[in-house]
Amino acid sequence: MRRSRMKDGKIVTEDHSVVESAADNKMGKSSVLQQDDFGVGVSFHESKASAEEKLIKSHKSSKDHTTGKLTRNVTLLQGVSLIVGVMIGSGIFVSPRFVLLHSGSVGMTLMVWIASGVMATFGALCYCELGTLIQRSGGELTYIREGLGLLPGFLVSWTMVLILKPASVAIITLSFASYAIQPFLSDSNIEPEILIKFIAAICIILITSVNCVSSRWAGQMQIVFMVMKLLAIGIIVMIGASRIASGHYENFESPFKGTNQNVGEIAHAFFSGLWAYDGWNQLNYVTEELQNPHKNLPRGVMIALSLVTLCYTLVNVAYLSILTPAEMLSSTAVAVSVAEKVHPTLVTVMPLFVACSCYGAANGSIFTNGRVVCAAAKEGHMPRFLATINERFHTPLRAIMFPSFISICLLMLGDLDSLLSCFSFVAWIFLGSTFLSLLVLRWKRPHDHRPYKVWIGIPVVMVIVSCYLVTAPLLAKPQSSAVALGFVFSGVPVYYCFVNHNK
């Protein structure tokens, strides 16, 4: 902005555009003001320029704290505990019977658990390439946006932020509450539904509060609960080893007797096994906070997946050394059935271990949920204020609270299991689209530096597997699948009315 005036018959021009340019470009340069003919008031203008420069720097600093980057304080150990903590929830303690039910034999059951671990590792390796190529938090929504475009990326945000992530946390915390009160209930007592929902809500509030205050505290808490999970699995494995050492291995004498010959049933067994391995992609949601992601992302994934695959295989061997296949199929909570058969003391202890496992899974999920919402808000898929980084705690406080609030609201619904199972195949649509994005980025950006590069056959295999895991439930349950797809595509008009219009 230029302003001219007459002084002693001459035109004197004052130029304030440099200050404005400095504010616009955030470069903090010193303002340069032209002197009048007599050099009057030079010190005054210099002090004024200095004050304006300080004001600009103050505004810049404030804005950096508001929308700046998250700090890299997630260590390799915390990354491993995040993956293990979310993967090992209540599933391995509660529902291994579904794999046995669909596979038909002990030998095929163990093969499904091992093969599911290998497939989860393949998927995680694909995510390692994407995570080291695109070092931004957000997981699927970030990768699909880069590979397939803006609209597919928005549909991922729309579904994950509003349904998938909050519903998953709600179910995990309900499982926590159910197992936490088990030692205090007699056999004749019916579980109080209102009390369970109240405890689940308190659990969500506590975990959310810790994650809002400090990501470091949340990471340390995740390590503690990972140790407790592994301790519970270790107890079961040692009991099973002692049973096998004492000669109780009759269930393994004809391991493949009764194997289901139906290919569709075997596929359902893999579906159940892969569900238990869900969570292998959690570290990609916090890439911006991971220390040295080039090295720690692949390392964390390989350590975590190897550990979980070994644990799942050994714990199933232990289950089958203690329970007969018929007892395992009739049990609603396999770990508790093992405790009842081995020693009365374990009947009290084992539900508490399972509750701690669920609590750790909920903590990891809430930690990553906040980063997904923050990434979605930065992309303009959600309200911008959700991307705010709190100046005091350096955490995406609003982004953490938003999905947790939705989770508490979903607790009021009667049938969350049906809701999540309805949308489970949608999750595999997103995973398959992410694997496809890797292939597209190989074609679109062939010369980009890739610190980690997976063999091209692995994403191709994972795209094929994803296609099956999407098609099978779509054909088996067309009505519920249509409802889920209807919600996903309801985001299309929202995108064109708000997101694309604003861009």
Side-chain angles (χ1 to χ4, degrees):
M1 179 176 63
R2 293 180 177 272
R3 185 173 58 198
S4 300
R5 59 187 175 87
M6 295 292 297
K7 186 172 180 66
D8 295 338
K10 297 181 181 179
I11 299 176
V12 180
T13 303
E14 295 176 352
D15 191 350
H16 297 276
S17 62
V18 178
V19 175
E20 293 176 356
S21 177
D24 292 339
N25 297 321
K26 301 179 182 180
M27 297 176 62
K29 294 181 178 179
S30 300
S31 300
V32 180
L33 299 177
Q34 295 182 358
Q35 302 178 19
D36 59 23
D37 289 350
F38 300 97
V40 179
V42 174
S43 60
F44 168 77
H45 287 297
E46 286 180 347
S47 62
K48 182 180 179 181
S50 176
E52 289 175 336
E53 183 179 347
K54 290 180 180 179
L55 182 62
I56 292 168
K57 288 182 177 180
S58 175
H59 287 168
K60 177 184 175 184
S61 175
S62 176
K63 188 170 183 179
D64 286 343
H65 281 299
T66 303
T67 60
K69 293 183 178 180
L70 297 164
T71 56
R72 291 194 182 276
N73 54 12
V74 177
T75 64
L76 175 61
L77 178 58
Q78 290 175 339
V80 171
S81 67
L82 178 64
I83 299 174
V84 173
V86 176
M87 288 179 69
I88 304 178
S90 62
I92 190 60
F93 300 106
V94 178
S95 56
R97 65 189 182 101
F98 293 112
V99 177
L100 178 60
L101 175 66
H102 293 295
S103 61
S105 68
V106 171
M108 183 55 70
T109 295
L110 297 179
M111 288 185 65
V112 167
W113 281 109
I114 295 171
S116 296
V118 172
M119 292 174 65
T121 304
F122 283 173
L125 293 177
C126 295
Y127 271 59
C128 285
E129 176 175 332
L130 290 167
T132 53
L133 173 66
I134 306 169
Q135 293 187 35
R136 301 200 307 272
S137 298
E140 290 86 3
L141 70 91
T142 302
Y143 308 144
I144 291 174
R145 180 187 182 279
E146 292 289 330
L148 303 182
L150 299 178
L151 177 58
F154 172 76
L155 294 180
V156 174
S157 301
W158 172 259
T159 309
M160 290 181 69
V161 171
L162 297 181
I163 294 291
L164 286 180
K165 294 294 185 181
S168 178
V169 168
I171 289 177
I172 292 171
T173 53
L174 284 173
S175 298
F176 160 78
S178 177
Y179 280 96
I181 66 172
Q182 284 293 327
F184 308 102
L185 296 177
S186 61
D187 295 337
S188 59
N189 285 352
I190 300 175
E191 290 186 350
E193 183 178 351
I194 296 177
L195 178 61
I196 288 176
K197 290 187 175 183
F198 177 75
I199 295 174
I202 295 298
C203 174
I204 293 173
I205 293 171
L206 288 175
I207 296 175
T208 301
S209 300
V210 172
N211 277 272
C212 286
V213 171
S214 173
S215 59
R216 189 180 299 275
W217 290 0
Q220 294 298 328
M221 186 165 65
Q222 195 69 13
I223 294 175
V224 171
F225 283 103
M226 180 187 72
V227 172
M228 296 186 71
K229 294 169 191 280
L230 297 179
L231 179 61
I233 289 176
I235 292 173
I236 296 173
V237 170
M238 286 190 292
I239 293 172
S242 65
R243 292 273 297 180
I244 292 174
S246 61
H248 295 278
Y249 48 81
E250 54 274 6
N251 290 338
F252 303 99
E253 291 178 350
S254 300
F256 292 96
K257 183 179 180 180
T259 298
N260 203 323
Q261 302 299 319
N262 189 317
V263 177
E265 287 295 314
I266 297 297
H268 278 290
F270 273 101
F271 197 87
S272 300
L274 288 169
W275 176 81
Y277 281 95
D278 183 41
W280 45 262
N281 54 349
Q282 296 298 305
L283 201 54
N284 289 73
Y285 295 136
V286 296
T287 307
E288 289 182 33
E289 295 172 84
L290 181 64
Q291 296 175 359
N292 196 6
H294 285 165
K295 294 182 178 179
N296 286 342
L297 183 58
R299 286 175 182 173
V301 164
M302 292 306 297
I303 294 171
L305 266 295
S306 300
L307 181 61
V308 171
T309 303
L310 179 64
C311 288
Y312 279 9
T313 304
L314 292 178
V315 81
N316 275 279
V317 170
Y319 286 154
L320 291 165
S321 68
I322 300 169
L323 303 175
T324 64
E327 290 173 332
M328 196 167 169
L329 290 173
S330 62
S331 174
T332 56
V334 179
V336 176
S337 298
V338 168
E340 291 173 348
K341 192 168 183 178
V342 173
H343 198 279
T345 306
L346 288 177
V347 177
T348 302
V349 175
M350 192 56 66
L352 294 178
F353 273 123
V354 178
C356 289
S357 180
C358 294
Y359 192 92
N363 179 65
S365 297
I366 289 175
F367 183 88
T368 57
N369 287 0
R371 277 64 187 175
V372 172
V373 175
C374 185
K378 286 180 179 179
E379 298 288 351
H381 298 170
M382 292 289 151
R384 293 283 185 182
F385 71 88
L386 293 176
T388 301
I389 306 300
N390 185 268
E391 184 176 353
R392 179 180 178 185
F393 301 122
H394 302 289
T395 58
L397 192 146
R398 295 172 181 173
I400 295 172
M401 296 173 64
F402 180 67
S404 295
F405 173 75
I406 297 176
S407 296
I408 293 175
C409 293
L410 289 175
L411 288 175
M412 308 303 171
L413 298 177
D415 195 1
L416 279 175
D417 288 316
S418 296
L419 176 67
L420 198 60
S421 63
C422 177
F423 279 85
S424 61
F425 91 104
V426 174
W428 274 101
I429 293 177
F430 297 155
L431 290 174
S433 300
T434 305
F435 301 135
L436 181 61
S437 297
L438 188 152
L439 298 174
V440 172
L441 289 171
R442 286 277 189 97
W443 173 66
K444 289 172 61 177
R445 295 157 60 174
H447 302 298
D448 283 8
H449 176 61
R450 289 170 168 81
Y452 180 86
K453 194 172 183 179
V454 71
W455 177 56
I456 192 66
I458 291 179
V460 172
V461 170
M462 293 308 298
V463 168
I464 295 172
V465 170
S466 301
C467 288
Y468 173 77
L469 293 175
V470 168
T471 306
L474 188 62
L475 297 176
K477 299 179 180 178
Q479 292 183 343
S480 60
S481 300
V483 171
L485 285 176
F487 178 85
V488 173
F489 287 109
S490 69
V492 174
V494 176
Y495 172 79
Y496 283 109
C497 290
F498 298 100
V499 179
N500 189 58
H501 176 72
N502 290 336
K503 285 183 182 297

